[in-house]
Amino acid sequence: MELEFSDISAEIKGCMTAGKLKLTEQNLIFKNSKSGKVQQIPATDFDVVNFQNFAGTWGIRLFLKNGTLHRFVGFKDSDKDKIAKFFSKSYKIEMLEKELSTKGWNWGTAKFNGSVLSFDVGSNSSFEIPLNHVSQCTGGKNEITMEFHQNDDAPVSLMEMRFFIPATEMAGDVDPVEAFQQQVMNKASVINISGDAIAIFREIHCLTPRGRYDIKIFQTFFQLHGKTFDYKIPMTTVLRLFLLPHKDSRQMFFVVSLDPPIKQGQTRYHFLVFLFNQDETSVELPFTDEELKEKFDGKLEKELSGPTFEVMSNIMKHIINTKLTGPGAFIGHSGTPAISCSYKAAAGLLYPLERGFIYVHKPPIHIRFEEITSVNFARGGGNTRTFDFEIELKSGTVHTFSSIEKGEYGKLFDFITKKKLNIKNRGKTDKTSYKDDFGDSDEEAAPDAYLARVKAEGQEREDDDDDEEDESTDEDFNPNQVESDVAEEYDSNHSSSSEDDDEEGGGDGDKKEKKKEKKKTKTVSEAPRKKREKKEKGDNKPKRAITAFMLWLNANRDKIKEENKGISFTDIAKKGGELWRELKDKSEWEEKAKKDKERYEAEMKEFKASGGATSGESKKSSGKKDKKPSAKRSASPKLAEGKIKSKEYIDDSDTSDDNDDKPAKKKEAGKSKKYDAQKSKKKNESSDEDKDDDDDDEEEEEKMDDSSEDEKDKESESEEERGKKRKKESDDDTD
């Protein structure tokens, strides 16, 4: 028989810390939600168990045989009978309600019971103080001052308490103040350096806090002694120990997790990170064989030798009596259990463990699987060779590890899937979650249903795309295509009669030939983009199938508007998505969506059979054939120079003078502008229109040549007529 309670708080260093409580026939187990630390109290250590009324709720006051007090708060009235029966049946302990004094008096009797100081008013207790929360106790003439450890997680901390102790003749030779102080100090959590250190390690390289420290290990604490700072760390504050190999396989990280952290000014260090090389050392422990067997169950030997990190971690592991955590079964792309990445601006290593992730070293981060809401694989910033790995916690914090090599993706994805962590871009139906329990068992791997669903949807989209080929407007890239979208002057396939003139040009032709060969390396992406045309839609084409979510949203749109007054149009779909994810029974809408899909497939089949699918293609092909250039291409300037002479080179001294040359020059200049305009117009249109075939170009150029020769003949004839007319007038004047 077992009892579990999810929302229970335990008193830890003067602060009520949330967690989960489990009662079994052998143990009472409390799991801290913040640190993940599991505390087990054997049932054989129980002495007195009471119900106690706390502010607005019920709690359990558990007093152990060694004098330690534990308090658990957050039980309901309905839980009292169930818990009382369980303790009576499983532990043979009767639970009674502890009466408290509510008189409000500030004088009474101080009683010491184990590690608890009880202040009684009359026959009932007014309050109790666990003495392991006391950091210091000083005495005066008739006064005692107690100082308490500060808890950073507590919104309000009790820092100091004073007791006035009146002098009495009944005390005799014993000073009541000194006796009170001695009682407190015997049970208080005060570090007193007494005796020799168990082991000393000199000049150890520490990354966090940075520097080199001498590490002295005592029975109840260990000391970090540096040139500037000195830290004394109780063994009870150590949560976990990690021993992690560096990616270069030549160095080792030894990480110590602390709660509460050590302080250096306003900076708090939750982790100590030591970096070791392969140096070896030997240590002789100051214990006899009997003491080693009694204190450490014979797990430690008197003489230890080997690599420094191995000796130090082994000693601390057995003194603290905790597990030494190493890398899990994960092996990355590089063949090591470490993944190179960056956190914010600092580069470091990410280690996937059996029950979490740890990042070293700046800053060190330990993430347990039960803290994780989801993980996400994101594309790196503009770099296709790396990706980002995002971890979102239940507290809302998001840790982003960036610049991870692409080769690590497959290994990391398989690891995430095996541990049943929720991947953010998965669908609702494929969502998995890590099982948060009190044990240490690993979860088995699950099949990748997400991948199968994506493949099925991709196949469905391909089938739909085949049905809609007539609606497509983008042309596929065809490397064997003869036509070119590049402007004619860069097109190596473009041919015109001007090439014949280039061959006659000798050196100029060779230069142009080299230029054309160079232009062949231009890619299609450099060509001017064609203007996108609007999709043509079939008149009688069936309406596409509607998804289950859209069917549900259309039916509940008015209801969402009524429940959320003033909601915008865009927020309706967002709110609908949240309600749809929370909806447990979707069978009705999925059935409707299935029927609508069957309807669409049947209508689409009829549509194809009636020839509707090919109508769009015929329209498209006919539209292409009707396309013609809006303006005819003009002959090249070199061709014009070879066949047309300007008026200023015509020598007619008998019939022409300077005044006669002016109109001819103006006309020739106008004609040159006309050719330039035709050429620029031709260049502008060449980017939007398909090129004509070479035969069409030659015909157009011949027509232009013929028309230009006709115009030249007409101009010559008109000039001769005007000359004859002027000569006749001059003869008449002479007569």
Side-chain angles (χ1 to χ4, degrees), residues 227-384:
K227 293 181 180 179
T228 309
F229 299 101
D230 193 7
Y231 303 98
K232 295 182 181 67
I233 305 167
M235 293 295 187
T236 54
T237 64
V238 176
L239 281 180
R240 296 178 184 86
L241 301 175
F242 301 93
L243 191 61
L244 307 168
H246 196 280
K247 198 170 185 179
D248 59 10
S249 301
R250 292 178 295 176
Q251 296 175 310
M252 293 290 289
F253 292 109
F254 180 52
V255 183
V256 181
S257 173
L258 302 176
D259 184 32
I262 60 174
K263 299 176 186 176
Q264 182 178 304
Q266 296 298 319
T267 306
R268 290 171 171 79
Y269 296 101
H270 292 270
F271 294 89
L272 305 178
V273 182
F274 302 101
L275 183 62
F276 292 91
N277 293 319
Q278 298 295 331
D279 301 334
E280 295 195 358
T281 188
S282 60
V283 173
E284 184 177 351
L285 301 180
F287 297 114
T288 62
D289 294 337
E290 290 77 12
E291 287 176 335
L292 288 172
K293 189 173 182 180
E294 181 184 347
K295 292 181 179 180
F296 308 110
D297 296 331
K299 296 177 181 178
L300 274 179
E301 298 178 359
K302 186 174 178 63
E303 293 185 2
L304 299 173
S305 60
T308 308
F309 64 84
E310 187 177 315
V311 175
M312 180 176 167
S313 60
N314 196 22
I315 292 174
M316 292 194 68
K317 169 187 174 182
H318 290 99
I319 290 177
I320 300 170
N321 193 22
T322 186
K323 180 185 174 184
L324 182 62
T325 305
F330 175 83
I331 299 296
H333 179 67
S334 60
T336 63
I339 299 174
S340 298
C341 61
S342 297
Y343 182 75
K344 296 182 179 177
L349 298 172
L350 179 68
Y351 293 86
L353 309 174
E354 288 301 320
R355 297 182 66 85
F357 296 95
I358 187 169
Y359 173 81
V360 288
H361 74 97
K362 198 174 181 182
I365 302 171
H366 179 232
I367 304 170
R368 293 173 288 112
F369 287 159
E370 55 261 28
E371 293 181 286
I372 298 175
T373 302
S374 63
V375 299
N376 183 33
F377 295 91
R379 183 177 296 174
N383 189 354
T384 57

Side-chain angles (χ1 to χ4, degrees), residues 475-514:
E475 294 183 4
D476 295 332
F477 170 64
N478 185 2
N480 299 322
Q481 188 176 358
V482 178
E483 295 181 355
S484 173
D485 295 332
V486 189
E488 132 182 340
E489 55 207 278
Y490 299 112
D491 194 346
S492 59
N493 292 331
H494 176 72
S495 60
S496 65
S497 58
S498 61
E499 292 180 4
D500 300 334
D501 297 331
D502 291 338
E503 291 176 4
E504 295 174 3
D508 293 337
D510 294 339
K511 288 180 183 178
K512 190 165 185 181
E513 193 73 16
K514 290 178 183 177

Side-chain angles (χ1 to χ4, degrees), residues 18 57 79 97 130 132 161 207 241 260 394 397 408 411 433 466 502 512 516 520 564 602 651 678 681 700 714:
T57 184
D79 297 331
E97 185 176 337
N132 55 5
M161 183 179 284
L207 300 177
L241 301 175
K394 292 177 181 177
T397 307
E408 303 284 4
K411 302 278 188 180
S433 59
D466 293 340
D502 291 338
K512 190 165 185 181
K516 285 183 179 181
K520 285 181 183 179
N564 303 272
D651 187 15
Q678 288 178 347
K681 189 173 182 181
E700 289 175 5
K714 288 180 181 179

Side-chain angles (χ1 to χ4, degrees), residues 3 5 8-11 16 21 23 28 46 48-54 57-63 69-75 79-80 82-84 86-87 91 95-96 98 128:
L3 292 179
F5 303 93
I8 302 299
S9 298
E11 183 184 19
M16 304 310 293
L21 183 70
L23 298 173
L28 181 147
F46 296 171
V48 179
V49 183
N50 302 107
F51 280 116
Q52 186 173 337
N53 196 357
F54 290 86
T57 184
W58 287 97
I60 294 177
R61 176 185 178 274
L62 180 61
F63 193 79
L69 178 66
H70 295 276
R71 287 185 278 203
F72 303 96
V73 184
F75 299 98
D79 297 331
K80 287 181 64 178
K82 186 167 52 175
I83 295 172
F86 182 84
F87 270 83
Y91 309 136
M95 295 186 65
L96 301 175
K98 184 175 177 62
E128 291 177 318

